Amino acid sequence: MSQATATMNQLSDRINQMQESATIKMSKMSRELKAQGHDVIDLSLGEPDFDTPQYIKDAAKLAIDKGYTKYTPVPGYPELRKAIVQKFKRDNNLDYTVEQIVVSTGAKQSIANVVLSLINPGDEVLLPAPYWVSYAAIAELAEGKCVEIPTTIDSNFKVTADLLEQYITPKTKLMIFSSPCNPTGSVFSHDELKAIAAVVKKHPNLFVLCDEIYEYINFTGQKHTSLAEFSEIKEQVITVNGFSKAFAMTGWRLGYIGAPLFIAKACDKMQGQFTSAPCSITQKAGEAALLGDMTPSFDMVKEFKKRRDLVYGLLKEIPGLKVNLPDGAFYFFFDVSSYFGKTFEGKALNTPEDISLYLLAEGKIALVSGESFGDKNCLRMSYATSEEKLVEACKRIKEGFSKLN
Ligand code: PMP
Ligand code: GLU
């Protein structure tokens, strides 16, 4: 028995069965290549390249000086939760009480808290695909059964109310989706969500986790719609949001939910055993972020839109790719299936993973393969980087594909 097998046998089935996060795996690989001296352009991780706005950093420094260095209440400081209540009212016209808000160490933990609080073994978790990688891993950790609802690029990867209805069974407990969507950049309109809400209303035992972490990165010109705005299903919806994307605060680790009270209480209990609470200093920074002048965030969004338009033009020029224009977030999710079966140095590339590994090795460009997002045809590109790098990246992708036979 190899050393690796022997140690795996000592680990729990739970961890052995868990997939490593594909986004994090790809960024690790590109970091390693960079450390070896290769000029890699890393478009794998969804992380704004901007720095956290100064007013937020100043609030954190002040928090340290004022002694916000102790354990905080488990669901977060009341003043931060109050700021979130105000944000929900201001931006989403949602009425939550402070008790319905739980602040966590990133939206990722918020999602884990909710899923672990709701899912029993065998409960079905609906994932309109493509979906963000960690939804499936977290649902499986809770021993839920993931049920993918496939969508295609031709419908901008959006699940319709009719399609959703076909997948609901008596065992369906939860649906998880994001709008604006990671990995596709799709944004659900008010009417599309209204139709989904009508289906949810018919199934009172169904909950929906609506991940709105890309709320502000929306280029439609239309106001963002939260699923919880449809008051007839508000008690079935958990709204997740966070600071990583809107305020370029990925490293600070702060996310939150607005939820039915019993779910908020369950998440509070859960994180009381897991993390006690998110970092006190980060919480004070988050409060300042929400209550301050959000001009820096809106400037970032303008920049993302410029980059999206640039990259769209460049990707469209690459023969064989099927590309749609994403309405939000900072990703392209393009179809590379016309290249399946082509070869490089005699080796066939049959999956998006094969192609992403080829592009990393040959073109030094890191993208994430669609498989872990529940899609077998696409690659995800994060365009949260400079225009200069994006132009070079698209050139490398084009060259990479042109070398295949
Ligand atoms: N949801 C989605 C859709 C994401 O893309 C991410 C990635 N950051 C998260 C949740 C988690 O965000 P964080 O934990 O950094 O708040
Ligand atoms: N959410 C980002 C992504 O999809 C960051 C990585 C992660 O949290 O998995 O790339």
Side-chain angles (χ1 to χ4, degrees):
M1 198 191 302
S2 73
Q3 175 78 20
T5 316
T7 50
M8 254 184 93
N9 285 345
Q10 290 177 304
L11 292 171
S12 68
D13 296 343
R14 187 178 305 119
I15 194 67
N16 281 332
Q17 281 158 14
M18 184 185 272
Q19 298 282 329
E20 183 180 359
S21 161
T23 49
I24 288 179
K25 181 173 150 196
M26 211 55 194
S27 78
K28 213 157 70 182
M29 283 170 75
S30 84
R31 234 179 258 163
E32 280 162 15
L33 277 176
K34 270 189 205 164
Q36 291 164 20
H38 294 285
D39 162 32
V40 180
I41 301 182
D42 186 359
L43 305 182
S44 63
L45 205 60
E47 172 163 54
D49 54 324
F50 302 106
D51 199 6
T52 306
Q54 192 58 44
Y55 75 99
I56 300 174
K57 292 185 185 176
D58 289 343
K61 290 179 195 163
L62 193 65
I64 296 174
D65 291 340
K66 283 189 158 179
Y68 286 95
T69 54
K70 306 277 193 233
Y71 285 132
T72 79
V74 171
Y77 283 126
E79 56 272 27
L80 170 58
R81 292 159 76 210
K82 225 163 104 186
I84 293 169
V85 166
Q86 285 173 26
K87 179 256 172 247
F88 272 131
K89 186 69 190 165
R90 177 190 72 198
D91 297 345
N92 314 106
N93 198 25
L94 289 175
D95 290 300
Y96 285 113
T97 62
V98 168
E99 293 70 32
Q100 290 178 283
I101 309 296
V102 178
V103 182
S104 300
T105 306
K108 208 177 240 182
Q109 194 202 354
S110 300
I111 296 164
N113 282 344
V114 171
V115 172
L116 289 166
S117 294
L118 281 178
I119 297 302
N120 273 322
D123 284 345
E124 290 177 6
V125 179
L126 292 181
L127 300 176
Y131 49 81
W132 182 48
V133 287
S134 296
Y135 298 159
I138 294 169
E140 280 163 9
L141 184 68
E143 298 181 55
K145 183 174 167 234
C146 292
V147 178
E148 294 181 5
I149 309 180
T151 68
T152 66
I153 195 166
D154 301 314
S155 59
N156 288 321
F157 301 107
K158 285 198 252 185
V159 68
T160 60
D162 285 347
L163 193 58
L164 167 63
E165 186 135 40
Q166 289 168 35
Y167 281 81
I168 298 176
T169 76
K171 288 193 153 184
T172 311
K173 184 72 185 278
L174 180 66
M175 170 166 101
I176 312 180
F177 80 113
S178 57
S179 176
C181 176
N182 177 2
T184 66
S186 296
V187 177
F188 285 80
S189 70
H190 181 273
D191 288 353
E192 287 161 344
L193 289 175
K194 190 174 176 187
I196 288 174
V199 174
V200 173
K201 169 83 182 145
K202 283 196 247 170
H203 300 274
N205 297 324
L206 170 66
F207 290 92
V208 185
L209 188 158
C210 188
D211 182 345
E212 303 185 359
I213 196 163
Y214 295 95
E215 169 180 4
Y216 301 116
I217 310 173
N218 176 342
F219 318 127
T220 60
Q222 306 294 314
K223 198 185 134 340
H224 169 84
T225 307
S226 289
L227 190 66
E229 281 176 48
F230 300 97
S231 55
E232 64 278 18
I233 58 158
K234 181 149 175 260
E235 285 302 299
Q236 292 170 260
V237 179
I238 303 98
T239 309
V240 171
N241 212 321
F243 294 78
S244 287
K245 318 292 167 170
F247 302 99
M249 289 177 71
T250 46
W252 298 71
R253 312 306 304 126
L254 198 62
Y256 57 91
I257 54 166
L261 186 59
F262 78 101
I263 295 178
K265 281 186 173 166
C267 292
D268 179 346
K269 183 167 145 191
M270 176 80 63
Q271 82 179 17
Q273 293 287 21
F274 269 31
T275 57
S276 298
C279 166
S280 56
I281 300 148
T282 294
Q283 288 189 50
K284 293 309 283 180
E287 183 190 334
L290 288 179
L291 298 180
D293 172 6
M294 283 187 56
T295 304
S297 296
F298 298 133
D299 287 346
M300 289 185 230
V301 175
K302 280 188 206 144
E303 200 54 40
F304 285 134
K305 183 165 186 289
K306 262 173 66 192
R307 294 170 183 182
R308 178 204 61 169
D309 293 341
L310 170 75
V311 173
Y312 184 59
L314 296 171
L315 288 178
K316 290 284 274 185
E317 280 174 18
I318 303 178
L321 297 194
K322 202 164 169 185
V323 188
N324 70 337
L325 185 68
D327 276 330
F330 38 62
Y331 305 103
F332 276 86
F333 200 67
F334 50 89
D335 187 318
V336 294
S337 59
S338 74
Y339 285 95
F340 294 168
K342 301 236 178 208
T343 60
F344 180 71
E345 293 179 345
K347 191 172 173 288
L349 306 177
N350 295 319
T351 63
E353 168 115 23
D354 290 347
I355 294 182
S356 71
L357 293 175
Y358 159 73
L359 288 173
L360 183 61
E362 282 306 309
K364 302 292 178 287
I365 168 98
L367 306 172
V368 188
S369 141
E371 279 112 322
S372 38
F373 300 100
D375 180 280
K376 292 189 172 58
N377 297 318
C378 297
L379 291 180
R380 188 190 80 171
M381 171 202 266
S382 160
Y383 58 86
T385 193
S386 69
E387 290 189 13
E388 192 191 344
K389 280 194 188 157
L390 292 168
V391 169
E392 173 63 20
C394 291
K395 187 168 144 247
R396 291 188 194 183
I397 295 171
K398 189 172 183 180
E399 274 168 15
F401 281 117
S402 72
K403 288 185 198 160
L404 299 179
N405 295 301

